[in-house]
Amino acid sequence: MAIQVGEKAPDFELKDNHGKTVKLSDFRGQQNVVLLFYPFAFTGVCTGELCELRDNLPKFADRDTQLLAVSNDSVPTLRVFAEQEGLEYPLLSDFWPHGEVSRAYGVFAEDKGCAVRGTFVIDKEGVVRWTVVNGLPDARDLNEYVKALDTL
């Protein structure tokens, strides 16, 4: 079961597409976070979603929000994907231990070996304020994240 609104977001430490360690708790007291889980780099729906976010980054920056995208891909895979698609926000690797953070958020599909499309809007205090979980084939609506951020 996915983490629910009102719960403290589980802290984590993952490597980004440049090999830099990113901790959720580093944003506490500083910025809101949109934490977005997606199945795999280089797939149609995922690429479309992440490119839409790329094209709308000011909507997050204007709302004092850091976007973090997590998949179960390896760091080298994410590096190439980010370079190919011009993604300038952190792509985090939940590769090993495989799916540990995805499981902590309740969005790991054991039968598929990857995260489903889970999104968590986390406030500056580290509390989940909005969430949506979609199945693998179902893209999310970026405007819903922005509406949720506007309520913080």
Side-chain angles (χ1 to χ4, degrees):
M1 179 159 192
I3 297 293
Q4 300 296 305
V5 170
E7 292 184 48
K8 195 81 161 173
D11 197 16
F12 60 79
E13 186 173 305
L14 294 172
K15 298 283 186 192
D16 72 7
N17 47 303
H18 300 291
K20 178 185 168 203
T21 299
V22 175
K23 290 175 60 173
L24 179 64
S25 57
D26 288 344
F27 298 98
R28 287 204 186 117
Q30 307 294 318
Q31 288 181 291
N32 302 307
V33 173
V34 170
L35 181 63
L36 174 114
F37 291 87
Y38 64 100
F40 294 111
F42 299 106
T43 57
V45 176
C46 295
T47 300
E49 283 187 316
L50 296 177
C51 288
E52 181 182 14
L53 292 168
R54 172 200 66 205
D55 297 344
N56 288 279
L57 277 178
K59 290 182 179 182
F60 297 96
D62 293 349
R63 289 163 176 83
D64 200 20
T65 301
Q66 176 64 53
L67 177 63
L68 300 174
V70 180
S71 77
N72 305 116
D73 295 299
S74 67
V75 168
T77 298
L78 294 177
R79 182 177 306 116
V80 172
F81 182 54
E83 288 171 5
Q84 179 178 308
E85 299 300 335
L87 304 175
E88 297 179 6
Y89 51 88
L91 302 184
L92 305 180
S93 174
D94 191 17
F95 184 73
W96 198 258
H98 190 69
E100 182 177 63
V101 175
S102 305
R103 284 183 181 92
Y105 279 80
V107 295
F108 190 80
E110 296 290 341
D111 61 329
K112 303 286 187 209
C114 66
V116 295
R117 296 180 197 287
T119 306
F120 302 87
V121 172
I122 302 166
D123 69 14
K124 292 178 182 178
E125 303 311 311
V127 176
V128 175
R129 295 297 176 192
W130 183 87
T131 184
V132 66
V133 178
N134 289 8
L136 291 177
D138 303 320
R140 293 161 282 201
D141 183 353
L142 163 79
N143 294 316
E144 294 299 319
Y145 313 164
V146 175
K147 286 180 194 172
L149 288 167
D150 286 342
T151 66
L152 299 182

